[in-house]
Amino acid sequence: KAGVTQTPRYLIKTRGQQVTLSCSPISGHRSVSWYQQTPGQGLQFLFEYFSETQRNKGNFPGRFSGRQFSNSRSEMNVSTLELGDSALYLCASSLDRTDTSPLHFGNGTRLTVT
Amino acid sequence: DQQVKQNSPSLSVQEGRISILNCDYTNSMFDYFLWYKKYPAEGPTFLISISSIKDKNEDGRFTVFLNKSAKHLSLHIVPSQPGDSAVYFCAAESNYQLIWGAGTKLIIKP
């Protein structure tokens, strides 16, 4: 079974631009979550989608948005990029967000904003 | 306000000895706790979990202990192996949301 696939692996953008990151979950997984990881900050939850609906949202500004398609693939968009948005963005999928369904992470997209 | 704290940024342990990673939390509504391990350039991988109704869960070399009164959990790795060198994150779940600690870098010395 293929794992969670995130594209692209690396991205360099300049301030003010917008960016779209893509995530393909494990086949059969309907829940997709997005996280931002910065050094010393752990993983900060962005949002979670289940069956094309945003089920939960973290404490990030409206510049961060996402969506999920009918095949469970998900995209995350960041508009008007700021230097502080430089981070590793991780996508994780699970069958559902329950105690018995741990998250499976992709290898992330490393975004650098200059 | 950090609801989940891993106060040790790094930990160095001799190969073959016990590694103990600690995690503290503030929210008594958390009902599930998980440990993930992360190698550089890879996403975190699930290691072990524990429900809030239990105080111990064991899986091979890995044991997680939960002390609800102290709002503290720990991960024990026995014996520690070189491949255990990684960053370990604890996470707590409530209402479909995981709150993560900042991670502890474990270094296993040969």
Side-chain angles (χ1 to χ4, degrees), chain A residues 102-103 105, chain B residues 34-38 44-47 87-89 100:
Chain A
L103 298 174
F105 283 86
Chain B
L34 306 95
W35 284 93
Y36 282 78
K37 175 167 124 176
K38 185 181 186 299
T45 54
F46 171 73
L47 202 52
V87 176
Y88 289 79
F89 291 97
W100 297 73

Side-chain angles (χ1 to χ4, degrees), chain A residues 9 35 37 40-43 45 48 55-58 88 90 96-100 102-108, chain B residues 2 31-32 34 36 38 41-47 49 51 87 89 93-103:
Chain A
R9 284 300 306 274
Y35 290 86
Q37 186 190 7
Q41 292 295 314
L43 279 71
F45 173 73
E48 185 226 355
R55 188 158 64 175
N56 219 329
K57 190 177 188 304
L88 179 67
L90 291 161
D96 193 354
R97 290 295 292 114
T98 67
D99 296 350
T100 58
L103 298 174
H104 297 264
F105 283 86
N107 288 334
Chain B
Q2 278 187 294
D31 48 20
Y32 210 68
L34 306 95
Y36 282 78
K38 185 181 186 299
E42 294 182 12
T45 54
F46 171 73
L47 202 52
S49 61
S51 165
V87 176
F89 291 97
E93 180 172 349
S94 176
N95 195 29
Y96 294 121
Q97 189 169 148
L98 279 178
I99 308 297
W100 297 73

Side-chain angles (χ1 to χ4, degrees), chain B residues 17-83:
Chain B
R17 307 292 285 268
I18 182 172
S19 294
I20 300 176
L21 298 121
N22 295 304
C23 181
D24 296 297
Y25 61 95
T26 56
N27 188 345
S28 59
M29 297 301 291
F30 288 137
D31 48 20
Y32 210 68
F33 302 89
L34 306 95
W35 284 93
Y36 282 78
K37 175 167 124 176
K38 185 181 186 299
Y39 293 118
E42 294 182 12
T45 54
F46 171 73
L47 202 52
I48 192 169
S49 61
I50 187 167
S51 165
S52 61
I53 62 173
K54 295 185 176 180
D55 55 20
K56 178 183 174 181
N57 188 26
E58 192 172 349
D59 183 2
R61 296 186 298 115
F62 304 91
T63 303
V64 56
F65 295 93
L66 176 62
N67 182 335
K68 286 186 290 294
S69 60
K71 293 191 176 70
H72 175 84
L73 70 154
S74 61
L75 174 67
H76 292 211
I77 306 173
V78 182
S80 300
Q81 298 174 355

Side-chain angles (χ1 to χ4, degrees), chain A residues 47-91:
Chain A
F47 26 66
E48 185 226 355
Y49 286 87
F50 182 82
S51 293
E52 302 179 66
T53 301
Q54 187 180 86
R55 188 158 64 175
N56 219 329
K57 190 177 188 304
N59 194 24
F60 276 79
R63 300 186 296 108
F64 292 80
S65 63
R67 58 178 176 166
Q68 186 181 33
F69 302 95
S70 58
N71 61 358
S72 292
R73 191 177 71 84
S74 178
E75 285 181 349
M76 189 192 99
N77 186 78
V78 188
S79 62
T80 321
L81 283 166
E82 300 176 0
L83 293 178
D85 297 333
S86 295
L88 179 67
Y89 289 88
L90 291 161
C91 166

